[in-house]
Amino acid sequence: MRALWTAATGMKAQQLNIDLIANNLSNVNTTGYKKQQMQFKDLLYANIRRNHLAEGQGSPVHLQMGHGVMPTSTARLFLQGNLEATDNPLDMAIDGEGFFVVEGPDGQPYYTRDGAFKLSVDGEETALVTSDGYFVMSEFDDIIVIGEGLRDLSVSEMGLITAINEDGEIEEIGTLKMARFLNPQGLEAKGQNLFAQTVASGEEIPMEGDERTSRIRQRYLETSNVQVVDEMVRMITAQRAYEMNSKAIQTSDEMMGMANNLRR
């Protein structure tokens, strides 16, 4: 019976859907996290009888039977999360599109919306890094180094980092690099709030000067864009769909049992 295998594909698909929803809910408090949604497509159809018309007579529609469903992709929604005040001068949030650029341990650029930056002290050199120690890059693809004796770090809306030196004068340190992509959904999630460029995402497009339409908000962090209520509704829907598919398997099994028990 087709129903056995068709319903099985539905159970497998909804199981993956629940896994995805669980991941969204587990990251509800992750800074800069962007929620995902499972996307599905129907499988092949068996043409039991094709449509045919002759002089106005016949069947105008097909008699087709589907073979279930399969997951096709996990779409990541890069919607803006809420900005939460932290009163920490090293916390920064992007108000708009784009990503901060950091240098990974392999020397390759990675992209993140997590602006919970820290200071890394190595001898006499102090650099701006992520929570995992990855260097934050400037618009010239350099490490942002904060000189000795600087205080009162300030970041403008355009990403210009300044501080007050020992003489009480304002000194420019550098400008945070920001980049965007034509297809951000094509980025590959690497964990640790990082994304990597792929062929599908296209090459990074630096946001410089007038092209920088987004703003940096110092002393703020972008919260996850996961809506708990929406995820709970999706979880209930997926659970019911899983339950109905399991019921379809049970019903098919009972029908096969009835057919096997027929007597003359």
Side-chain angles (χ1 to χ4, degrees):
M1 295 183 67
R2 289 190 183 91
L4 284 171
W5 302 105
T6 300
T9 65
M11 292 183 70
K12 291 178 181 178
Q14 294 306 325
Q15 183 174 335
L16 287 177
N17 194 18
I18 286 290
D19 292 341
L20 190 69
I21 295 170
N23 184 63
N24 285 340
L25 289 173
S26 65
N27 284 283
V28 69
N29 290 323
T30 300
T31 302
Y33 178 79
K34 302 303 178 185
K35 66 181 179 180
Q36 294 177 285
Q37 286 186 351
M38 186 72 72
Q39 296 182 339
F40 306 95
K41 70 176 181 181
D42 52 355
L43 293 177
L44 295 174
Y45 284 83
N47 287 312
I48 300 175
R49 185 180 69 244
R50 294 185 177 276
N51 59 357
H52 63 282
L53 286 174
E55 298 181 357
Q57 301 294 322
S59 174
V61 294
H62 291 290
L63 176 57
Q64 292 181 309
M65 193 63 63
H67 286 81
V69 65
M70 71 173 294
T72 58
S73 62
T74 52
R76 191 174 294 271
L77 304 182
F78 285 92
L79 302 175
Q80 178 79 47
N82 295 326
L83 301 185
E84 185 178 80
T86 64
D87 203 31
N88 183 351
L90 296 179
D91 287 342
M92 306 170 203
I94 299 176
D95 187 4
E97 65 175 348
F99 300 86
F100 296 113
V101 184
V102 302
E103 183 182 54
D106 55 359
Q108 297 298 317
Y110 291 93
Y111 309 91
T112 182
R113 296 279 298 190
D114 183 0
F117 298 139
K118 304 291 184 293
L119 293 179
S120 175
V121 180
D122 185 7
E124 297 181 355
E125 185 177 275
T126 303
L128 192 66
V129 298
T130 66
S131 299
D132 296 302
Y134 301 158
F135 292 110
V136 181
M137 307 304 293
S138 72
E139 62 181 352
F140 298 112
D141 292 327
D142 295 326
I143 297 172
I144 298 176
V145 178
I146 301 173
E148 187 177 357
L150 297 179
R151 55 185 175 85
D152 296 337
L153 195 72
S154 178
V155 183
S156 72
E157 291 187 349
M158 299 303 292
L160 177 63
I161 304 175
T162 58
I164 299 177
N165 58 25
E166 295 176 343
D167 298 328
E169 299 176 344
I170 297 177
E171 182 176 325
E172 294 186 1
I173 299 173
T175 302
L176 289 168
K177 182 178 182 179
M178 290 179 58
R180 66 181 182 88
F181 295 87
L182 290 176
N183 179 31
Q185 290 197 17
L187 293 171
E188 180 183 0
K190 291 292 187 178
Q192 299 173 307
N193 289 351
L194 299 177
F195 296 93
Q197 174 182 303
T198 66
V199 176
S201 67
E203 296 184 357
E204 68 170 45
I205 303 175
M207 301 172 66
E208 301 173 348
D210 296 337
E211 297 179 1
R212 183 171 290 196
T213 56
S214 303
R215 297 291 180 262
I216 304 294
R217 306 298 182 187
Q218 188 183 15
R219 301 176 188 271
Y220 283 86
L221 286 177
E222 181 185 7
T223 61
S224 167
N225 66 355
V226 175
Q227 299 294 325
V228 176
V229 174
D230 293 342
E231 297 301 315
M232 292 300 294
V233 171
R234 291 173 56 206
M235 180 183 292
I236 293 172
T237 304
Q239 180 184 5
R240 293 305 181 191
Y242 188 91
E243 181 180 344
M244 288 186 289
N245 279 284
S246 67
K247 185 63 176 177
I249 292 178
Q250 293 175 4
T251 302
S252 300
D253 179 56
E254 292 173 1
M255 293 172 65
M256 291 176 67
M258 292 178 190
N260 289 335
N261 292 328
L262 287 176
R263 295 290 187 272
R264 288 188 176 181

